[in-house]
Amino acid sequence: MKLLMVSLGCDKNLVDSEEMLGILAARGYEITDDETEAEAAVINTCCFIDSAKQESIAEIIEIGELKKTAKLKVLVVSGCMAQRYKQEILEEMPEVDAIVGTTAIDKIAQVVDDALKGRKSTLLTDISQDPEVREKRVLSTGGHYAFLKIAEGCDKYCTYCIIPKLRGHYRSVPMEKLLADAQMLADEGVKELILVAQETTLYGKDLYGEKSLHILLQKLCQIEGIRWIRILYCYPEEIYPALIETMARESKICHYLDLPIQHASDEILKKMHRRTTEADLRALVEKLRRRIPDIVLRTTLITGFPGETEEDHEKLMSFIEEMKFDRLGVFTYSREEGTPAAAMKPQIRKAVKEKRRRDLMRAQQKISLARGKGRIGRELDVMIEGYIPDEGVYEARTYGDAPGVDGFIFIETERTLMTGDFVRVRVTGSSEYDLEGVLIDEPAQ
């Protein structure tokens, strides 16, 4: 029986998809990327913001059409949208045969089995209880890097966010399990571990009584075969001295930090129920750059939040122009039912939100171009990601580039390189988001 998995949304969702693939493969399903050959399909959905919700709906409709034209017999919907809109999906999308909630993924094989036998089901379990997945994940990232989800849920309750209602309270994965999973990934050839959670910086506080991300990192650094360790989703107010020191000392930890600050106006930050101020953010950026001079800082912003004035927007513009983040993404505020922000007034018009987003991105383009030019002449170890035959170049990532969200460094060479190889390059050129480089004769250490 051939099965198609479609994973939407964030990399944390991708880990869930890979775990479901492992369960289904162990049950005997043959995993396929060819939708015309699939007899069963699972769509792991996202609904964090409206555009993600619309993408999920469109994907369900598109895959559902295969029941008319291809071999598809069964369509199962899982993930955040399944958890949040289970009733609406069942009532309005007859092509869907089963619903699986965010914490019921360990039952995915039984659900698909039942659906193929004509038994429709809706399986949602307590969102405060994690699934028990014993099967080995099937990686979908190419095998040279992998995401390691170190916690589930969130206790921050930002006023724009629905995640706590879909994923439950914050709960760390026990360290011994993470170390075993990381060792297994290393044994399979993974060279880069990317730590993810709704919030990575609080790791361990619920299990061990104190923040323990630095301890986890130290232990992960001891695993042979792992070359890079990257940390995403670090709430700025939770960054602590021992974490910074560990990042500075351990050579395997990429000098890269993802800090989703969302805004820089104290008034808007307060309305968002964020726990930082503009002064806090300035102090943190200064501290990180002082202790780790070559650190690459990435952040995300929300523009057009309810009540955001032109003055708030100008404050944010000035802030990013002064802070000069290396990487920056901007989302327009998405009004999500069931969140406190949805009832706030005034809501900002779509055209205004889009204009402010363009303003911010134009400002960041100039910063990114200048930061890129500043890297010309540097020698860096990079990871090969693939080859572009039409252009005759390899694409690679530096320590400052997370997969899927950041840029590449392009290398022209006659040598044959393989995905996952590490080589040493000298940066020779840059654009707004990408770099160019040439190989250096000596191999990367």
Side-chain angles (χ1 to χ4, degrees), residues 174-199:
M175 199 173 297
E176 59 270 20
K177 182 181 187 309
L178 291 174
L179 294 173
D181 289 349
Q183 183 65 63
M184 181 185 68
L185 291 168
D187 292 343
E188 292 183 353
V190 168
K191 298 178 182 179
E192 179 182 7
L193 286 178
I194 305 171
L195 274 54
V196 296
Q198 298 301 330
E199 177 183 359

PDB file of all heavy atoms in Angstrom, residues 174-199:
ATOM      1  N   PRO A 174      12.484  14.554  27.988  1.00  0.00           N
ATOM      2  CA  PRO A 174      13.579  14.154  28.872  1.00  0.00           C
ATOM      3  C   PRO A 174      14.918  14.102  28.140  1.00  0.00           C
ATOM      4  O   PRO A 174      15.005  13.668  26.985  1.00  0.00           O
ATOM      5  CB  PRO A 174      13.146  12.762  29.345  1.00  0.00           C
ATOM      6  CG  PRO A 174      11.652  12.796  29.284  1.00  0.00           C
ATOM      7  CD  PRO A 174      11.331  13.638  28.071  1.00  0.00           C
ATOM      8  N   MET A 175      15.959  14.526  28.840  1.00  0.00           N
ATOM      9  CA  MET A 175      17.266  14.656  28.204  1.00  0.00           C
ATOM     10  C   MET A 175      17.792  13.326  27.682  1.00  0.00           C
ATOM     11  O   MET A 175      18.393  13.267  26.601  1.00  0.00           O
ATOM     12  CB  MET A 175      18.257  15.273  29.196  1.00  0.00           C
ATOM     13  CG  MET A 175      19.483  15.865  28.547  1.00  0.00           C
ATOM     14  SD  MET A 175      20.563  16.767  29.700  1.00  0.00           S
ATOM     15  CE  MET A 175      19.508  18.098  30.260  1.00  0.00           C
ATOM     16  N   GLU A 176      17.551  12.242  28.421  1.00  0.00           N
ATOM     17  CA  GLU A 176      18.075  10.956  27.976  1.00  0.00           C
ATOM     18  C   GLU A 176      17.451  10.523  26.653  1.00  0.00           C
ATOM     19  O   GLU A 176      18.118   9.911  25.804  1.00  0.00           O
ATOM     20  CB  GLU A 176      17.868   9.879  29.052  1.00  0.00           C
ATOM     21  CG  GLU A 176      16.418   9.641  29.459  1.00  0.00           C
ATOM     22  CD  GLU A 176      15.963  10.510  30.614  1.00  0.00           C
ATOM     23  OE1 GLU A 176      16.604  11.554  30.884  1.00  0.00           O
ATOM     24  OE2 GLU A 176      14.964  10.143  31.257  1.00  0.00           O
ATOM     25  N   LYS A 177      16.187  10.868  26.440  1.00  0.00           N
ATOM     26  CA  LYS A 177      15.545  10.538  25.163  1.00  0.00           C
ATOM     27  C   LYS A 177      16.137  11.358  24.029  1.00  0.00           C
ATOM     28  O   LYS A 177      16.398  10.840  22.930  1.00  0.00           O
ATOM     29  CB  LYS A 177      14.045  10.749  25.241  1.00  0.00           C
ATOM     30  CG  LYS A 177      13.317  10.363  23.943  1.00  0.00           C
ATOM     31  CD  LYS A 177      11.832  10.601  24.006  1.00  0.00           C
ATOM     32  CE  LYS A 177      11.118  10.041  22.770  1.00  0.00           C
ATOM     33  NZ  LYS A 177      11.729  10.489  21.495  1.00  0.00           N
ATOM     34  N   LEU A 178      16.352  12.635  24.283  1.00  0.00           N
ATOM     35  CA  LEU A 178      16.927  13.489  23.247  1.00  0.00           C
ATOM     36  C   LEU A 178      18.329  13.030  22.875  1.00  0.00           C
ATOM     37  O   LEU A 178      18.700  13.020  21.696  1.00  0.00           O
ATOM     38  CB  LEU A 178      16.963  14.947  23.735  1.00  0.00           C
ATOM     39  CG  LEU A 178      15.607  15.632  23.886  1.00  0.00           C
ATOM     40  CD1 LEU A 178      15.785  17.006  24.521  1.00  0.00           C
ATOM     41  CD2 LEU A 178      14.899  15.758  22.540  1.00  0.00           C
ATOM     42  N   LEU A 179      19.120  12.644  23.863  1.00  0.00           N
ATOM     43  CA  LEU A 179      20.485  12.189  23.579  1.00  0.00           C
ATOM     44  C   LEU A 179      20.474  10.888  22.793  1.00  0.00           C
ATOM     45  O   LEU A 179      21.282  10.704  21.876  1.00  0.00           O
ATOM     46  CB  LEU A 179      21.269  12.031  24.885  1.00  0.00           C
ATOM     47  CG  LEU A 179      21.525  13.336  25.657  1.00  0.00           C
ATOM     48  CD1 LEU A 179      22.151  13.051  27.009  1.00  0.00           C
ATOM     49  CD2 LEU A 179      22.403  14.284  24.843  1.00  0.00           C
ATOM     50  N   ALA A 180      19.550  10.000  23.134  1.00  0.00           N
ATOM     51  CA  ALA A 180      19.430   8.745  22.378  1.00  0.00           C
ATOM     52  C   ALA A 180      18.998   9.028  20.943  1.00  0.00           C
ATOM     53  O   ALA A 180      19.531   8.434  19.991  1.00  0.00           O
ATOM     54  CB  ALA A 180      18.441   7.815  23.077  1.00  0.00           C
ATOM     55  N   ASP A 181      18.029   9.931  20.764  1.00  0.00           N
ATOM     56  CA  ASP A 181      17.574  10.282  19.416  1.00  0.00           C
ATOM     57  C   ASP A 181      18.701  10.929  18.614  1.00  0.00           C
ATOM     58  O   ASP A 181      18.882  10.631  17.424  1.00  0.00           O
ATOM     59  CB  ASP A 181      16.384  11.236  19.492  1.00  0.00           C
ATOM     60  CG  ASP A 181      15.107  10.561  19.978  1.00  0.00           C
ATOM     61  OD1 ASP A 181      15.101   9.319  20.056  1.00  0.00           O
ATOM     62  OD2 ASP A 181      14.135  11.275  20.287  1.00  0.00           O
ATOM     63  N   ALA A 182      19.450  11.818  19.253  1.00  0.00           N
ATOM     64  CA  ALA A 182      20.548  12.500  18.566  1.00  0.00           C
ATOM     65  C   ALA A 182      21.640  11.513  18.161  1.00  0.00           C
ATOM     66  O   ALA A 182      22.213  11.614  17.068  1.00  0.00           O
ATOM     67  CB  ALA A 182      21.121  13.593  19.460  1.00  0.00           C
ATOM     68  N   GLN A 183      21.925  10.539  19.029  1.00  0.00           N
ATOM     69  CA  GLN A 183      22.925   9.522  18.691  1.00  0.00           C
ATOM     70  C   GLN A 183      22.463   8.690  17.500  1.00  0.00           C
ATOM     71  O   GLN A 183      23.257   8.380  16.593  1.00  0.00           O
ATOM     72  CB  GLN A 183      23.162   8.616  19.900  1.00  0.00           C
ATOM     73  CG  GLN A 183      24.238   7.559  19.666  1.00  0.00           C
ATOM     74  CD  GLN A 183      25.610   8.168  19.457  1.00  0.00           C
ATOM     75  OE1 GLN A 183      26.151   8.823  20.356  1.00  0.00           O
ATOM     76  NE2 GLN A 183      26.190   7.972  18.271  1.00  0.00           N
ATOM     77  N   MET A 184      21.182   8.343  17.492  1.00  0.00           N
ATOM     78  CA  MET A 184      20.631   7.583  16.373  1.00  0.00           C
ATOM     79  C   MET A 184      20.746   8.381  15.069  1.00  0.00           C
ATOM     80  O   MET A 184      21.114   7.843  14.023  1.00  0.00           O
ATOM     81  CB  MET A 184      19.174   7.236  16.638  1.00  0.00           C
ATOM     82  CG  MET A 184      18.503   6.427  15.539  1.00  0.00           C
ATOM     83  SD  MET A 184      16.733   6.186  15.847  1.00  0.00           S
ATOM     84  CE  MET A 184      16.134   7.879  15.662  1.00  0.00           C
ATOM     85  N   LEU A 185      20.434   9.673  15.138  1.00  0.00           N
ATOM     86  CA  LEU A 185      20.539  10.516  13.948  1.00  0.00           C
ATOM     87  C   LEU A 185      21.985  10.601  13.466  1.00  0.00           C
ATOM     88  O   LEU A 185      22.257  10.527  12.263  1.00  0.00           O
ATOM     89  CB  LEU A 185      19.991  11.915  14.256  1.00  0.00           C
ATOM     90  CG  LEU A 185      18.473  11.997  14.487  1.00  0.00           C
ATOM     91  CD1 LEU A 185      18.093  13.361  15.062  1.00  0.00           C
ATOM     92  CD2 LEU A 185      17.704  11.737  13.199  1.00  0.00           C
ATOM     93  N   ALA A 186      22.910  10.753  14.411  1.00  0.00           N
ATOM     94  CA  ALA A 186      24.330  10.808  14.038  1.00  0.00           C
ATOM     95  C   ALA A 186      24.765   9.498  13.388  1.00  0.00           C
ATOM     96  O   ALA A 186      25.520   9.502  12.403  1.00  0.00           O
ATOM     97  CB  ALA A 186      25.179  11.113  15.270  1.00  0.00           C
ATOM     98  N   ASP A 187      24.299   8.373  13.926  1.00  0.00           N
ATOM     99  CA  ASP A 187      24.650   7.072  13.365  1.00  0.00           C
ATOM    100  C   ASP A 187      24.137   6.917  11.939  1.00  0.00           C
ATOM    101  O   ASP A 187      24.702   6.149  11.147  1.00  0.00           O
ATOM    102  CB  ASP A 187      24.072   5.951  14.236  1.00  0.00           C
ATOM    103  CG  ASP A 187      24.743   5.863  15.606  1.00  0.00           C
ATOM    104  OD1 ASP A 187      25.835   6.437  15.765  1.00  0.00           O
ATOM    105  OD2 ASP A 187      24.156   5.233  16.515  1.00  0.00           O
ATOM    106  N   GLU A 188      23.059   7.649  11.618  1.00  0.00           N
ATOM    107  CA  GLU A 188      22.490   7.586  10.267  1.00  0.00           C
ATOM    108  C   GLU A 188      23.129   8.590   9.313  1.00  0.00           C
ATOM    109  O   GLU A 188      22.733   8.686   8.154  1.00  0.00           O
ATOM    110  CB  GLU A 188      20.980   7.831  10.337  1.00  0.00           C
ATOM    111  CG  GLU A 188      20.212   6.718  11.021  1.00  0.00           C
ATOM    112  CD  GLU A 188      18.707   6.960  11.015  1.00  0.00           C
ATOM    113  OE1 GLU A 188      18.283   8.056  10.604  1.00  0.00           O
ATOM    114  OE2 GLU A 188      17.970   6.048  11.411  1.00  0.00           O
ATOM    115  N   GLY A 189      24.095   9.356   9.814  1.00  0.00           N
ATOM    116  CA  GLY A 189      24.814  10.279   8.941  1.00  0.00           C
ATOM    117  C   GLY A 189      24.448  11.738   9.085  1.00  0.00           C
ATOM    118  O   GLY A 189      24.964  12.585   8.342  1.00  0.00           O
ATOM    119  N   VAL A 190      23.574  12.072  10.023  1.00  0.00           N
ATOM    120  CA  VAL A 190      23.211  13.480  10.235  1.00  0.00           C
ATOM    121  C   VAL A 190      24.421  14.232  10.790  1.00  0.00           C
ATOM    122  O   VAL A 190      25.057  13.786  11.747  1.00  0.00           O
ATOM    123  CB  VAL A 190      22.003  13.583  11.203  1.00  0.00           C
ATOM    124  CG1 VAL A 190      21.806  15.031  11.657  1.00  0.00           C
ATOM    125  CG2 VAL A 190      20.753  13.062  10.524  1.00  0.00           C
ATOM    126  N   LYS A 191      24.701  15.382  10.199  1.00  0.00           N
ATOM    127  CA  LYS A 191      25.857  16.185  10.622  1.00  0.00           C
ATOM    128  C   LYS A 191      25.457  17.478  11.318  1.00  0.00           C
ATOM    129  O   LYS A 191      26.275  18.097  11.999  1.00  0.00           O
ATOM    130  CB  LYS A 191      26.732  16.509   9.406  1.00  0.00           C
ATOM    131  CG  LYS A 191      27.301  15.271   8.730  1.00  0.00           C
ATOM    132  CD  LYS A 191      28.125  15.640   7.507  1.00  0.00           C
ATOM    133  CE  LYS A 191      28.654  14.384   6.821  1.00  0.00           C
ATOM    134  NZ  LYS A 191      29.454  14.727   5.594  1.00  0.00           N
ATOM    135  N   GLU A 192      24.212  17.907  11.104  1.00  0.00           N
ATOM    136  CA  GLU A 192      23.742  19.139  11.750  1.00  0.00           C
ATOM    137  C   GLU A 192      22.434  18.853  12.480  1.00  0.00           C
ATOM    138  O   GLU A 192      21.468  18.375  11.882  1.00  0.00           O
ATOM    139  CB  GLU A 192      23.511  20.245  10.713  1.00  0.00           C
ATOM    140  CG  GLU A 192      22.985  21.539  11.338  1.00  0.00           C
ATOM    141  CD  GLU A 192      22.704  22.631  10.306  1.00  0.00           C
ATOM    142  OE1 GLU A 192      22.793  22.352   9.092  1.00  0.00           O
ATOM    143  OE2 GLU A 192      22.390  23.762  10.729  1.00  0.00           O
ATOM    144  N   LEU A 193      22.428  19.158  13.763  1.00  0.00           N
ATOM    145  CA  LEU A 193      21.216  19.074  14.568  1.00  0.00           C
ATOM    146  C   LEU A 193      20.659  20.479  14.748  1.00  0.00           C
ATOM    147  O   LEU A 193      21.400  21.407  15.130  1.00  0.00           O
ATOM    148  CB  LEU A 193      21.512  18.480  15.949  1.00  0.00           C
ATOM    149  CG  LEU A 193      21.784  16.983  16.056  1.00  0.00           C
ATOM    150  CD1 LEU A 193      22.097  16.639  17.510  1.00  0.00           C
ATOM    151  CD2 LEU A 193      20.604  16.167  15.559  1.00  0.00           C
ATOM    152  N   ILE A 194      19.365  20.632  14.508  1.00  0.00           N
ATOM    153  CA  ILE A 194      18.725  21.931  14.674  1.00  0.00           C
ATOM    154  C   ILE A 194      17.680  21.793  15.770  1.00  0.00           C
ATOM    155  O   ILE A 194      16.680  21.090  15.599  1.00  0.00           O
ATOM    156  CB  ILE A 194      18.084  22.408  13.354  1.00  0.00           C
ATOM    157  CG1 ILE A 194      19.135  22.401  12.235  1.00  0.00           C
ATOM    158  CG2 ILE A 194      17.476  23.796  13.525  1.00  0.00           C
ATOM    159  CD1 ILE A 194      18.569  22.648  10.864  1.00  0.00           C
ATOM    160  N   LEU A 195      17.920  22.435  16.897  1.00  0.00           N
ATOM    161  CA  LEU A 195      17.037  22.315  18.055  1.00  0.00           C
ATOM    162  C   LEU A 195      15.836  23.231  17.891  1.00  0.00           C
ATOM    163  O   LEU A 195      15.989  24.443  17.655  1.00  0.00           O
ATOM    164  CB  LEU A 195      17.796  22.671  19.338  1.00  0.00           C
ATOM    165  CG  LEU A 195      18.591  21.533  20.001  1.00  0.00           C
ATOM    166  CD1 LEU A 195      19.544  20.867  19.028  1.00  0.00           C
ATOM    167  CD2 LEU A 195      19.329  22.031  21.226  1.00  0.00           C
ATOM    168  N   VAL A 196      14.635  22.652  18.032  1.00  0.00           N
ATOM    169  CA  VAL A 196      13.413  23.419  17.857  1.00  0.00           C
ATOM    170  C   VAL A 196      12.427  23.091  18.972  1.00  0.00           C
ATOM    171  O   VAL A 196      12.478  22.043  19.606  1.00  0.00           O
ATOM    172  CB  VAL A 196      12.746  23.139  16.483  1.00  0.00           C
ATOM    173  CG1 VAL A 196      13.641  23.600  15.345  1.00  0.00           C
ATOM    174  CG2 VAL A 196      12.386  21.667  16.321  1.00  0.00           C
ATOM    175  N   ALA A 197      11.526  24.028  19.212  1.00  0.00           N
ATOM    176  CA  ALA A 197      10.405  23.902  20.150  1.00  0.00           C
ATOM    177  C   ALA A 197       9.591  25.170  19.963  1.00  0.00           C
ATOM    178  O   ALA A 197      10.004  26.092  19.240  1.00  0.00           O
ATOM    179  CB  ALA A 197      10.887  23.768  21.585  1.00  0.00           C
ATOM    180  N   GLN A 198       8.437  25.258  20.606  1.00  0.00           N
ATOM    181  CA  GLN A 198       7.757  26.549  20.601  1.00  0.00           C
ATOM    182  C   GLN A 198       8.651  27.591  21.269  1.00  0.00           C
ATOM    183  O   GLN A 198       8.635  28.765  20.916  1.00  0.00           O
ATOM    184  CB  GLN A 198       6.416  26.457  21.334  1.00  0.00           C
ATOM    185  CG  GLN A 198       5.428  25.492  20.710  1.00  0.00           C
ATOM    186  CD  GLN A 198       5.074  25.824  19.279  1.00  0.00           C
ATOM    187  OE1 GLN A 198       5.093  26.989  18.885  1.00  0.00           O
ATOM    188  NE2 GLN A 198       4.747  24.816  18.496  1.00  0.00           N
ATOM    189  N   GLU A 199       9.433  27.137  22.227  1.00  0.00           N
ATOM    190  CA  GLU A 199      10.429  27.973  22.888  1.00  0.00           C
ATOM    191  C   GLU A 199      11.550  27.069  23.399  1.00  0.00           C
ATOM    192  O   GLU A 199      11.324  26.232  24.278  1.00  0.00           O
ATOM    193  CB  GLU A 199       9.815  28.747  24.058  1.00  0.00           C
ATOM    194  CG  GLU A 199      10.828  29.562  24.808  1.00  0.00           C
ATOM    195  CD  GLU A 199      10.256  30.280  26.012  1.00  0.00           C
ATOM    196  OE1 GLU A 199       9.049  30.156  26.269  1.00  0.00           O
ATOM    197  OE2 GLU A 199      11.027  30.959  26.681  1.00  0.00           O
TER     198      GLU A 199
END
